[in-house]
Amino acid sequence: QLLKAKSEILQLRNENLKTEVNAKNSKLMFSAGQMAHKNEILTGIKQQLHGLEKEPNPKLRRLIHTLDLELKSEDYWKNFNHYFDQVDKNFLQALLKKHPALTQNDLRICTLMRINLSTKEIASLLNVSVRGVEQSRYRLKKRLNLDNKDDLSKYILNFQAED
């Protein structure tokens, strides 16, 4: 009976942990969705402002510059990284320990790949072209010392801290 009770307690703990991970994963995906939506709106506004710019207008140029700064803002990455660290503890630290030459952009690509986002979704979040993400993935693969035949996505998804 004691063994059965311990088994039930462990099962309940596992269920609680699964629920907690699912909740944190949901927050992470929501955060990523918010970032993508914000970037799409700001990019659209910027394009509309460029369309209005027939002659040099200092106020309009300042407004476009402000939008550029916001699109490159680091603030939302802090929130994203906070949620990511709760869901996938030590992933970035272990990756950096094994591959110290990785850049901040490489780490962003890795985190977004780790949550299984597509190249198009990553491009939207990073406010770059799909081609830009493909080039970043190529450089990342080189920095990770992977062969041409190695699958970058599989490497990132299956990476373990004890690798």
Side-chain angles (χ1 to χ4, degrees), residues 4-5 32 45 49 57 62 65 72 75 94 99-100 103 107 119 121 129 138 148 152:
K4 185 178 178 184
I45 291 170
L49 289 173
N57 180 334
R62 276 195 302 273
H65 178 72
K72 290 177 175 44
D75 291 342
H99 306 284
T103 66
L107 294 174
T119 300
E121 291 167 324
S129 68
Y138 175 78
N148 286 339
L152 176 62

Short mmCIF file of all heavy atoms in Angstrom, two decimals, residues 4-5 32 45 49 57 62 65 72 75 94 99-100 103 107 119 121 129 138 148 152:
data_model
loop_
_atom_site.label_atom_id
_atom_site.label_comp_id
_atom_site.label_asym_id
_atom_site.label_seq_id
_atom_site.Cartn_x
_atom_site.Cartn_y
_atom_site.Cartn_z
N LYS A 4 2.17 1.79 -3.43
CA LYS A 4 1.09 2.28 -4.28
C LYS A 4 0.84 3.77 -4.02
O LYS A 4 0.66 4.56 -4.94
CB LYS A 4 -0.18 1.46 -4.04
CG LYS A 4 -1.31 1.82 -4.97
CD LYS A 4 -2.53 0.94 -4.72
CE LYS A 4 -3.65 1.37 -5.63
NZ LYS A 4 -4.88 0.63 -5.37
N ALA A 5 0.85 4.17 -2.76
CA ALA A 5 0.63 5.57 -2.39
C ALA A 5 1.76 6.44 -2.93
O ALA A 5 1.52 7.53 -3.48
CB ALA A 5 0.53 5.71 -0.88
N ALA A 32 5.62 35.44 -27.96
CA ALA A 32 6.15 35.45 -29.32
C ALA A 32 5.12 36.01 -30.29
O ALA A 32 5.45 36.79 -31.20
CB ALA A 32 6.57 34.04 -29.74
N ILE A 45 3.04 50.73 -40.46
CA ILE A 45 3.00 52.18 -40.24
C ILE A 45 4.21 52.83 -40.91
O ILE A 45 4.09 53.87 -41.57
CB ILE A 45 2.94 52.51 -38.73
CG1 ILE A 45 1.59 52.09 -38.14
CG2 ILE A 45 3.18 54.00 -38.49
CD1 ILE A 45 1.53 52.14 -36.63
N LEU A 49 4.23 55.67 -43.83
CA LEU A 49 4.92 56.96 -43.68
C LEU A 49 5.90 57.20 -44.82
O LEU A 49 6.01 58.32 -45.31
CB LEU A 49 5.64 57.03 -42.33
CG LEU A 49 4.75 57.14 -41.10
CD1 LEU A 49 5.57 57.03 -39.83
CD2 LEU A 49 3.97 58.45 -41.12
N ASN A 57 11.05 65.83 -44.99
CA ASN A 57 10.34 66.43 -43.88
C ASN A 57 11.01 65.95 -42.59
O ASN A 57 10.93 64.77 -42.26
CB ASN A 57 8.86 66.00 -43.91
CG ASN A 57 8.06 66.59 -42.78
OD1 ASN A 57 8.58 66.90 -41.71
ND2 ASN A 57 6.76 66.69 -43.00
N ARG A 62 12.09 61.90 -38.35
CA ARG A 62 12.26 61.56 -36.93
C ARG A 62 11.28 60.48 -36.51
O ARG A 62 11.61 59.57 -35.75
CB ARG A 62 12.09 62.81 -36.06
CG ARG A 62 13.36 63.64 -35.92
CD ARG A 62 13.26 64.64 -34.78
NE ARG A 62 12.14 65.56 -34.89
CZ ARG A 62 12.16 66.73 -35.54
NH1 ARG A 62 13.26 67.14 -36.13
NH2 ARG A 62 11.09 67.49 -35.59
N HIS A 65 12.45 57.24 -37.86
CA HIS A 65 13.60 56.82 -37.05
C HIS A 65 13.14 56.23 -35.71
O HIS A 65 13.67 55.20 -35.26
CB HIS A 65 14.55 58.01 -36.81
CG HIS A 65 15.73 57.68 -35.97
ND1 HIS A 65 16.77 56.91 -36.42
CD2 HIS A 65 16.02 58.01 -34.69
CE1 HIS A 65 17.66 56.78 -35.44
NE2 HIS A 65 17.23 57.43 -34.39
N LYS A 72 13.68 47.62 -33.40
CA LYS A 72 14.93 46.96 -32.99
C LYS A 72 15.05 46.88 -31.46
O LYS A 72 16.07 46.47 -30.94
CB LYS A 72 16.12 47.73 -33.56
CG LYS A 72 16.25 47.60 -35.06
CD LYS A 72 17.39 48.43 -35.59
CE LYS A 72 17.68 48.29 -37.03
NZ LYS A 72 16.65 48.26 -37.98
N ASP A 75 13.57 45.46 -25.36
CA ASP A 75 12.70 45.28 -24.19
C ASP A 75 11.86 44.01 -24.27
O ASP A 75 11.77 43.26 -23.31
CB ASP A 75 11.76 46.49 -24.01
CG ASP A 75 12.51 47.73 -23.59
OD1 ASP A 75 13.66 47.59 -23.11
OD2 ASP A 75 11.97 48.83 -23.75
N ALA A 94 23.91 26.30 -21.53
CA ALA A 94 24.59 25.09 -22.00
C ALA A 94 25.05 25.24 -23.44
O ALA A 94 26.16 24.81 -23.80
CB ALA A 94 23.67 23.88 -21.86
N HIS A 99 29.35 26.20 -27.23
CA HIS A 99 29.66 26.98 -28.43
C HIS A 99 29.81 28.46 -28.05
O HIS A 99 28.91 29.27 -28.28
CB HIS A 99 28.55 26.84 -29.47
CG HIS A 99 28.22 25.43 -29.83
ND1 HIS A 99 29.02 24.66 -30.66
CD2 HIS A 99 27.19 24.62 -29.46
CE1 HIS A 99 28.49 23.46 -30.80
NE2 HIS A 99 27.38 23.41 -30.08
N PRO A 100 30.92 28.84 -27.45
CA PRO A 100 31.09 30.21 -26.94
C PRO A 100 31.13 31.30 -28.01
O PRO A 100 30.96 32.47 -27.69
CB PRO A 100 32.41 30.15 -26.18
CG PRO A 100 33.10 28.92 -26.62
CD PRO A 100 32.07 27.99 -27.15
N THR A 103 26.67 34.46 -31.30
CA THR A 103 26.31 35.86 -31.11
C THR A 103 24.92 35.95 -30.47
O THR A 103 24.20 34.95 -30.38
CB THR A 103 26.29 36.60 -32.46
OG1 THR A 103 25.21 36.06 -33.26
CG2 THR A 103 27.61 36.47 -33.20
N LEU A 107 21.74 33.29 -30.71
CA LEU A 107 20.98 32.79 -29.57
C LEU A 107 19.48 33.03 -29.76
O LEU A 107 18.66 32.17 -29.39
CB LEU A 107 21.47 33.44 -28.27
CG LEU A 107 22.90 33.07 -27.86
CD1 LEU A 107 23.33 33.89 -26.64
CD2 LEU A 107 23.03 31.58 -27.59
N THR A 119 10.67 29.40 -40.36
CA THR A 119 11.55 30.47 -40.83
C THR A 119 10.76 31.76 -41.04
O THR A 119 11.21 32.84 -40.67
CB THR A 119 12.26 30.05 -42.14
OG1 THR A 119 13.03 28.87 -41.87
CG2 THR A 119 13.16 31.14 -42.67
N GLU A 121 7.97 32.68 -39.50
CA GLU A 121 7.60 33.21 -38.18
C GLU A 121 8.81 33.88 -37.51
O GLU A 121 8.68 34.94 -36.91
CB GLU A 121 7.06 32.09 -37.29
CG GLU A 121 5.71 31.56 -37.75
CD GLU A 121 5.31 30.26 -37.08
OE1 GLU A 121 6.20 29.41 -36.82
OE2 GLU A 121 4.10 30.07 -36.82
N SER A 129 13.95 39.72 -43.36
CA SER A 129 13.37 38.93 -44.44
C SER A 129 13.58 37.43 -44.18
O SER A 129 14.44 37.04 -43.38
CB SER A 129 14.03 39.31 -45.77
OG SER A 129 15.39 38.90 -45.77
N TYR A 138 22.36 29.62 -41.78
CA TYR A 138 23.57 29.09 -42.43
C TYR A 138 24.80 29.43 -41.58
O TYR A 138 25.63 28.57 -41.30
CB TYR A 138 23.70 29.66 -43.84
CG TYR A 138 24.98 29.26 -44.53
CD1 TYR A 138 25.14 28.00 -45.10
CD2 TYR A 138 26.06 30.15 -44.60
CE1 TYR A 138 26.32 27.63 -45.72
CE2 TYR A 138 27.25 29.79 -45.22
CZ TYR A 138 27.37 28.53 -45.77
OH TYR A 138 28.54 28.16 -46.38
N ASN A 148 27.31 19.75 -43.52
CA ASN A 148 26.21 20.08 -44.44
C ASN A 148 25.05 19.11 -44.29
O ASN A 148 23.90 19.49 -44.44
CB ASN A 148 26.70 20.09 -45.89
CG ASN A 148 27.53 21.32 -46.19
OD1 ASN A 148 27.44 22.32 -45.50
ND2 ASN A 148 28.33 21.24 -47.24
N LEU A 152 20.11 21.37 -38.74
CA LEU A 152 20.22 22.39 -37.70
C LEU A 152 19.03 22.34 -36.75
O LEU A 152 19.19 22.40 -35.53
CB LEU A 152 20.36 23.78 -38.32
CG LEU A 152 20.40 24.96 -37.36
CD1 LEU A 152 21.62 24.86 -36.44
CD2 LEU A 152 20.41 26.27 -38.13
#
